[in-house]
């Protein structure tokens, strides 16, 4: 049958829209995973044991099960208890929580590595434990783990394709819709791959800029 990329221009609007949804999902989930990772790290290290133990179970759920299953549980499972989330929101929450748990592990390690004298000095200056964590310890820890968290963000972008299974018309599903109308899988999967590559390059450029700013501020 041969390759025929001449069919692609007629569906570029569909692909562009899917790329925009992919970017929106990635940005939303990345923000949730970043701030959620900080929150989970503080809970894991400093919360009372009655809070830490349930959190460990929550952590196991997201680290020990496939992301696809987690998306199904959030989108299809929560409906059974009266929580009906839009597919986009369920996708952002699923991706965000999944990577928040992994970011939490990185941040916990970085917090433990911060010199204990930093906390003691902050308390000596009259800061409460919560204020010392928020203003002194956590900012230092987060600066140290920006590169590995950035790697998680890139992985999040790639895994965003999984939200297509719950009906979000992101880049992969948009390519599949075009394929269903044209029967040209190779052409549209190649175009989708190019779009992912360009978005990936953009994310890497943003992350490198953030890293340079952090290094300059030290």
């Amino acid at each position: 049958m041969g390759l025929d990329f001449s069919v692609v221009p007629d569906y570029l609007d569909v692909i562009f829209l899917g790329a925009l949804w992919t970017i929106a999902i990635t940005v939303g989930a990345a923000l949730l995973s970043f701030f959620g990772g900080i929150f989970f790290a503080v809970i894991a290290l400093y919360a009372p044991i009655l809070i830490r133990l349930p959190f460990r179970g929550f952590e196991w759920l997201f680290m020990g099960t496939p992301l696809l299953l987690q998306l199904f549980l959030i989108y299809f499972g929560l409906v059974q208890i009266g929580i009906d989330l839009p597919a986009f929101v369920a996708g952002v929450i699923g991706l965000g929580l999944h990577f928040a748990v992994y970011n939490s592990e990185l941040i916990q390690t970085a917090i433990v590595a911060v010199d204990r004298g930093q906390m003691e000095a902050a308390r000596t200056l009259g800061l409460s434990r919560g204020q010392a964590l928020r203003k002194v310890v956590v900012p230092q820890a987060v600066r140290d783990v920006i590169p590995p968290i950035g790697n998680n963000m890139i992985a999040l972008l790639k895994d965003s394709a999984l939200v297509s299974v719950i009906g979000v018309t992101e880049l992969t599903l948009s390519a599949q819709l075009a394929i269903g109308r044209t029967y040209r899988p190779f052409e549209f999967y190649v175009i989708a791959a190019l779009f992912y590559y360009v978005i990936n390059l953009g994310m890497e450029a943003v992350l490198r800029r953030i890293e340079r700013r952090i290094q300059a501020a030290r």
Side-chain angles (χ1 to χ4, degrees):
M1 187 165 68
L3 299 179
D4 182 13
F5 283 90
S6 65
V7 300
V8 171
D10 292 337
Y11 294 91
L12 275 181
D13 57 337
V14 175
I15 303 297
F16 270 114
L17 184 59
L20 291 176
W21 278 114
T22 290
I23 293 170
I25 291 165
T26 301
V27 171
L31 290 172
L32 177 59
S33 73
F34 179 73
F35 292 105
I38 295 172
F39 179 69
F40 293 159
V42 171
I43 287 178
L45 292 175
Y46 299 103
I49 191 167
L50 290 178
I51 297 176
R52 284 205 309 271
L53 287 179
F55 169 74
R56 288 300 179 187
F58 169 85
E59 189 178 47
W60 174 86
L61 174 66
F62 279 89
M63 295 187 78
T65 58
L67 175 55
L68 184 60
L69 176 61
Q70 294 161 23
L71 291 171
F72 283 153
L73 281 172
I74 292 170
Y75 185 60
F76 296 112
L78 292 182
V79 174
Q80 294 184 262
I81 58 174
I83 303 174
D84 188 5
L85 296 174
F88 176 82
V89 175
V92 168
I93 291 173
L95 282 168
L97 292 180
H98 180 84
F99 283 92
V101 170
Y102 287 95
N103 288 342
S104 170
E105 293 293 313
L106 296 171
I107 295 168
Q108 286 179 55
T109 302
I111 288 174
V112 171
V114 173
D115 189 345
R116 294 176 69 107
Q118 298 282 342
M119 172 69 83
E120 294 170 2
R123 298 300 299 273
T124 301
L125 292 172
L127 297 179
S128 67
R129 184 165 144 179
Q131 289 173 325
L133 281 171
R134 189 173 68 252
K135 296 181 178 181
V136 179
V137 177
V138 170
Q140 291 185 60
V142 169
R143 283 198 297 266
D144 291 337
V145 293
I146 287 298
I149 285 179
N151 292 336
N152 282 348
M153 300 302 183
I154 299 298
L156 189 155
L157 166 64
K158 297 172 184 176
D159 285 348
S160 68
L162 289 174
V163 302
S164 63
V165 300
I166 59 173
V168 181
T169 313
E170 45 66 72
L171 186 51
T172 299
L173 184 54
S174 296
Q176 290 172 342
L177 292 174
I179 291 165
R181 296 170 189 167
T182 62
Y183 302 100
R184 291 287 177 177
F186 184 85
E187 290 88 338
F188 282 101
Y189 282 136
V190 167
I191 295 300
L194 290 174
F195 270 82
Y196 275 115
Y197 185 68
V198 170
I199 297 171
N200 194 8
L201 288 178
M203 282 191 68
E204 289 180 352
V206 170
L207 290 168
R208 282 197 299 270
R209 184 169 183 178
I210 292 172
E211 289 176 30
R212 285 197 298 268
R213 282 192 156 188
I214 289 172
Q215 292 297 330
R218 287 187 171 182

